[in-house]
Amino acid sequence: MQQSRTGSTDPARTDAGRHTRWSGRLVGLVAVLALVNFVVDSAVTAPLVVLPEMLDHFGTDQAAWLNATAMLAGVMWAPLLGKAADLHGRRRVLVLALLLSCAGALLCAVAPSLWLFVPGRVLQGAALATVFLSVAMVRGLCAPRIAMIVVGIVTSGSAVLNIASRFVIEDLAERFGFQILFLVSALVAAAMAVCVHRVLPEAPVRTPGRLDVGGALLLGGGLVGVLGYVSLGSDLGWLAPGPLALLVGGVGALARWFLVSSRKPDPLIDVRNLGGPLVLTLLVVFLAAGSYQSVLQLIPLIGDVSADQRLGYGLAGQGSVALLLAAPGLGVTLGGPSAGWLAARVGPARTLAGAIMLGTVVTVGMFAGVSRLPVALCCGFLLGVTVGALGTSGFNMAGSLAPPERQGIVSSLVMVMVSIGSVVLNFVGAAVLESTSVVVGGETANSATGVFGYIAIASAAFAAAAVLAVLLVRSGPRLSAVPRHSKES
């Protein structure tokens, strides 16, 4: 790797132009990338706070179109932008992703109807790429041991901001309408694009070849079609023409992508040479990410139920349920950097396995947490630690298995698996709750059977991920430890 001009005089950058210890410049880079990841929350998840207002404004009850569109579009954008980053430069593509998100937010802010609002959400979905592009940049700018710590800070550091932003969003939406959220999101994305362009150096590593746009569209479109059916089918009807068309089109696109890619000399993803350890890592991320997302989805549901309703669970009236909702965010802030620090010492494979073990224990603990607030608070916080540690460890593990010129596309696969796992396990959990619901006082409520069955499924998925994580640790000693460089601190 060639030494970067921007870092040639920096004494902290002695390992082929990469940062090997902390310095003022590195702190600035980390701060910018952490704020860049805040764009994801403002674009993808923050609009849920004003979802009722958006439904009223557009006169629709199709919440799925407003809620899931950005995440599904992010799955489509991920492989395309990941591969483009390896070919044309990670900083350049990161700026592009931020500008696409900015344009989408502006379109959403001025959209008079769903016909313009939904395309705006599709453009906003490009913000999902900022997570894995930030990780790829870190691994290009930092030596391996310090990169693992920085990845944890970058991917988890904005969690506290995400919590605080919820209160600001609610206040602004009440005063100026939900459109102000999208204007703020556009402003944040534009500001971060400028910061990235001015502050971050471009990685000198490039992958020779051409961008397989056709393959990227087939893969991304196929994933969106299948996940769109899973996400939207419950609201629109599993046999409705729209969801069925998404399913058939998605399966067809994925089949076509696999057949075509297996014959191309330079495919978007060389599925024939992914390697066993990387496949194991992606499966672990899929199962664990889906499990913790489903449990996080369950927390507000049990928080709104009082034990006086005698459903066999419920936390309302036992204390501040707001703390229950904030606890995971605080845990994420701790779990990400801690996992990076630990991975630099014992290796990303063992750290990933440890995060999975913790998640399994915490999820099982929710059997008691659904009716006892102190237990729920502890489990919520530790689940947040698991979330931060899993994200950091998953990216670190995948990055350690990829050469420098493929960091973008491999990191994008981790993000894709997180999204797929979240959609699939959330749907499975929701289906369990719906099929076991009961009527109490004339209103439909989730039964204890459904809640405990929901937790059992999440625990089983975590346990399966734990088995795969153990296999990953045993797959080779080089995956379990990181050699200490003599110049690193």
Side-chain angles (χ1 to χ4, degrees), residues 23 133 375 408 466:
S23 65
L133 289 177
V375 177

Side-chain angles (χ1 to χ4, degrees), residues 107-455:
L107 186 58
C108 289
V110 300
S113 67
L114 282 178
W115 296 107
L116 282 179
F117 185 85
V118 171
R121 294 293 283 157
V122 170
L123 287 176
Q124 269 198 297
L128 201 66
T130 62
V131 178
F132 65 80
L133 289 177
S134 297
V135 171
M137 290 199 70
V138 167
R139 297 194 67 86
L141 295 172
C142 301
R145 287 179 61 85
I146 198 169
M148 292 185 179
I149 301 173
V150 173
V151 166
I153 298 173
V154 166
T155 57
S156 307
S158 62
V160 173
L161 288 177
N162 295 342
I163 297 173
S165 68
R166 296 295 188 271
F167 300 99
V168 177
I169 289 170
E170 288 180 343
D171 182 61
L172 289 176
E174 289 180 2
R175 295 186 181 186
F176 306 105
F178 74 87
Q179 291 88 349
I180 191 66
L181 166 62
F182 294 98
L183 291 177
V184 171
S185 179
L187 179 62
V188 172
M192 288 300 100
V194 173
C195 289
V196 168
H197 180 72
R198 290 183 175 273
V199 176
L200 300 183
E202 181 62 274
V205 177
R206 295 287 190 280
T207 302
R210 299 175 59 187
L211 180 61
D212 181 13
V213 177
L217 293 177
L218 282 174
L219 176 59
L223 291 172
V224 168
V226 174
L227 294 180
Y229 175 78
V230 174
S231 298
L232 307 179
S234 59
D235 284 347
L236 305 181
W238 298 111
L239 299 180
L244 278 179
L246 285 175
L247 178 62
V248 173
V251 172
L254 289 175
R256 177 65 178 171
W257 167 78
F258 183 81
L259 293 174
V260 172
S261 296
S262 62
R263 296 193 296 264
K264 285 185 177 181
D266 186 25
L268 180 71
I269 301 172
D270 191 352
V271 294
R272 298 162 297 180
N273 297 311
L274 284 178
L278 180 57
V279 171
L280 278 176
T281 300
L282 296 177
L283 288 175
V284 168
V285 170
F286 164 76
L287 289 169
S291 298
Y292 75 65
Q293 284 289 354
S294 65
V295 176
L296 289 176
Q297 178 178 263
L298 182 65
I299 287 177
L301 298 180
I302 62 177
D304 284 340
V305 174
S306 171
D308 295 337
Q309 295 178 251
R310 301 186 182 280
L311 291 172
Y313 69 94
L315 297 174
Q318 296 188 34
S320 176
V321 179
L323 287 177
L324 179 62
L325 300 177
L330 298 177
V332 169
T333 306
L334 174 65
S338 298
W341 177 86
L342 191 60
R345 284 151 179 80
V346 302
R350 290 174 177 168
T351 307
L352 179 61
I356 301 301
M357 300 299 181
L358 175 62
T360 305
V361 173
V362 170
T363 304
V364 172
M366 282 301 295
F367 280 106
V370 295
S371 56
R372 297 177 178 87
L373 185 60
V375 177
L377 286 171
C378 180
C379 288
F381 173 75
L382 291 178
L383 186 64
V385 173
T386 301
V387 172
L390 177 64
T392 298
S393 302
F395 280 118
N396 280 334
M397 187 69 235
S400 68
L401 296 170
E405 66 274 9
R406 294 185 64 236
Q407 289 292 322
I409 187 63
V410 170
S411 295
S412 75
L413 293 180
V414 176
M415 199 71 245
V416 168
M417 297 308 288
V418 169
S419 301
I420 293 176
S422 300
V423 171
V424 171
L425 268 295
N426 277 349
F427 158 71
V428 171
V432 169
L433 292 179
E434 183 177 358
S435 64
T436 57
S437 61
V438 294
V439 177
V440 179
E443 296 184 358
T444 302
N446 297 318
S447 67
T449 300
V451 170
F452 290 130
Y454 188 114
I455 297 173

